[in-house]
């Protein structure tokens, strides 16, 4: 990975690696354990420190479970009294599925709380003021960037109602995704599949078009190192507009993960409230931007699109992508292979107008992987 990459890229990098404070670095590393599981909540990590050593730690594992502070307080026990608390996000100050964390910290008798960043969600913000009113010293980190990078998807959804959108494409050196139109191809092989599994495991949902389901019949699941189906699976979203895939496709019949159908506009003729046993949702408009907002309404923070040529071209031209991950194999597909991008060129006179910048790169076995951002 080259120098100068954007600090908020986390495809291969670790946001905790650049944090000098060891307690905050540990809290960030703990928070990462919840990636892909906490939506609609943010990822949060917490450590409790007494006499210069960690006496309790915890993270938020999934929505509905206790928050990071509660797990850390349970771990610390009586050692929490008079201790310092390092938490990546301002403790909540509202009753949701769980009681307010600020109250739990006050009841435990902690002396100081050091917070990574303010909570921008008006529903849950205000924990710092509550702690101070109870006599607890509250401080905030000088550099908010690592803590914002941790929860960039959640922060985007809180701000504008849309999740952070990543698209992953697998290409040959001559930028082809298949050898023939409408036929499945394994351009990047087992190494590319490894990258795909990594991205899926970090996502709240995986989105494909009806055309991809028809051509590839993908499972869109995550498997562990032993090849077994992982216990946590992202939501599978099939995007439809004019054409429906077969109701017998794997995403509807394998029972390995939840699937929903998201229709642009009215969707294909005759589409009702369910299809293939999956709930049908309506985007409320005809554009991919409408679809992304509908995904935000589901409480999704991080969404992965695995597009074919038409869906990728539409995503590129409508500007809905926050990140593009390109997996490249070391061979050429040939002149007869269809192009992956079928839209208008990003042209400025006789030059290419770059709409994205490379921000991270790595080699995974026999493929290269690059991450691009606007």
């Amino acid at each position: 990975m080259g120098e100068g990459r954007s600090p908020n890229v986390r495809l291969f990098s670790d946001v905790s690696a650049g944090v000098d404070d060891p307690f905050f670095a540990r809290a960030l590393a703990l928070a990462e354990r919840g990636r892909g599981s906490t939506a609609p909540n943010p990822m949060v990590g917490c450590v409790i420190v007494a006499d210069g050593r960690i006496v309790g730690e915890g993270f938020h594992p999934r929505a509905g479970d206790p928050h990071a502070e509660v797990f850390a307080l349970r771990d610390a026990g009586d050692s929490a009294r008079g201790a310092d608390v390092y938490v990546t996000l301002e403790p909540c100050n509202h009753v949701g599925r769980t009681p307010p964390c600020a109250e739990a910290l006050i009841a435990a008798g902690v002396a100081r709380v050091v917070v990574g960043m303010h909570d921008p969600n008006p529903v849950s913000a205000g924990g710092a003021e509550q702690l101070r009113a109870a006599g607890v010293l509250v401080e905030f980190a000088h550099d908010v960037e690592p803590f914002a990078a941790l929860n960039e998807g959640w922060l985007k959804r809180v701000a504008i109602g849309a999740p952070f959108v990543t698209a992953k494409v697998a290409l040959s050196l001559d930028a082809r995704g298949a050898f023939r139109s409408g036929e499945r191809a394994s351009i990047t092989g087992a190494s590319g599949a490894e990258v795909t599994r990594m991205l899926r495991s970090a996502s709240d949902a995986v989105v494909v078009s009806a055309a991809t389901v028809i051509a590839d019949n993908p499972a869109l699941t995550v498997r562990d190192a032993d090849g077994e189906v992982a216990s946590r699976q992202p939501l599978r979203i099939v995007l439809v507009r004019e054409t429906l895939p077969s109701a017998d496709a794997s995403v509807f019949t394998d029972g390995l993960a939840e699937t929903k159908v998201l229709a642009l506009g009215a969707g294909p003729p005759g589409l009702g409230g369910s299809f293939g046993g999956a709930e049908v949702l309506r985007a409320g408009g005809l554009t991919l931007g409408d679809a992304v907002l509908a995904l935000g309404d589901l409480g999704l923070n991080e969404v992965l699109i695995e597009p074919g040529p038409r869906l990728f071209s539409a995503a590129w031209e409508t500007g809905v992508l926050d990140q593009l991950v390109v997996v490249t194999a070391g061979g050429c597909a040939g002149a007869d292979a269809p192009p992956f991008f079928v839209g208008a060129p990003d042209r400025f006179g006789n030059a290419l107008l770059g709409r994205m910048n490379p921000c991270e790169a790595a080699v995974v076995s026999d493929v290269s992987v690059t991450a691009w951002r606007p």
Side-chain angles (χ1 to χ4, degrees), residues 21 23-24 27 44-50 68-70 72-73 80-93 100-119 126-142 147:
D21 189 297
F23 302 129
F24 262 145
V44 182
C46 177
V47 298
I48 299 177
V49 179
E69 298 93 323
V70 174
L73 288 170
R81 186 162 298 278
D84 295 337
V85 177
Y86 289 77
V87 62
T88 57
L89 183 68
E90 181 181 4
C92 66
N93 185 34
C101 291
E103 288 185 4
L105 292 168
I106 293 168
V110 303
R112 183 173 72 124
V113 177
V114 190
V115 181
M117 68 174 293
H118 285 279
D119 186 344
E129 288 80 0
Q130 185 181 7
L131 289 165
R132 285 174 175 144
V136 178
L137 178 63
V138 179
E139 300 173 4
F140 282 84
H142 297 298
F147 308 97

Side-chain angles (χ1 to χ4, degrees), residues 45-82:
C46 177
V47 298
I48 299 177
V49 179
D51 298 323
R53 65 181 185 89
I54 295 176
V55 296
E57 59 182 32
F59 69 98
H60 181 46
R62 63 186 60 84
D65 280 5
H67 291 182
E69 298 93 323
V70 174
F71 282 112
L73 288 170
R74 289 178 184 174
D75 192 32
D78 292 339
S79 298
R81 186 162 298 278

Side-chain angles (χ1 to χ4, degrees), residues 86-293:
Y86 289 77
V87 62
T88 57
L89 183 68
E90 181 181 4
C92 66
N93 185 34
H94 82 299
V95 178
R97 297 193 204 179
T98 58
C101 291
E103 288 185 4
L105 292 168
I106 293 168
V110 303
R112 183 173 72 124
V113 177
V114 190
V115 181
M117 68 174 293
H118 285 279
D119 186 344
N121 189 347
V123 174
S124 54
E129 288 80 0
Q130 185 181 7
L131 289 165
R132 285 174 175 144
V136 178
L137 178 63
V138 179
E139 300 173 4
F140 282 84
H142 297 298
D143 182 10
V144 73
E145 179 59 37
F147 308 97
L150 172 74
N151 279 305
E152 59 189 348
W154 176 75
L155 289 170
K156 180 185 175 186
R157 189 176 59 78
V158 168
I160 65 172
F164 187 92
V165 179
T166 296
K168 184 233 89 179
V169 300
L171 303 176
S172 60
L173 284 175
D174 53 346
R176 299 299 196 259
F179 298 107
R180 283 171 289 275
S181 295
E183 291 186 9
R184 184 173 185 172
S186 184
I187 293 291
T188 54
S191 301
E194 180 183 344
V195 176
T196 300
R197 285 192 293 270
M198 180 190 71
L199 292 169
R200 287 176 184 172
S201 67
S203 302
D204 303 317
V206 180
V207 180
V208 296
S209 66
T212 292
V213 175
I214 292 169
D216 296 350
N217 192 26
L220 305 179
T221 53
V222 177
R223 295 183 179 271
D224 59 26
D226 298 325
E228 299 296 322
V229 177
S231 58
R232 194 209 73 83
Q233 296 291 332
L235 175 66
R236 302 180 291 195
I237 302 286
V238 179
L239 195 62
V240 301
R241 185 170 184 175
E242 300 172 351
T243 305
L244 282 173
S246 170
D248 294 329
S250 294
V251 291
F252 301 118
T253 59
D254 62 17
L256 298 177
E258 183 182 3
T259 300
K260 293 182 185 293
V261 174
L262 179 57
L264 290 173
L271 182 63
S274 65
F275 178 80
E279 180 185 8
V280 173
L281 308 172
R282 310 283 173 170
L286 294 172
T287 71
L288 277 183
D290 297 319
V292 170
L293 287 173

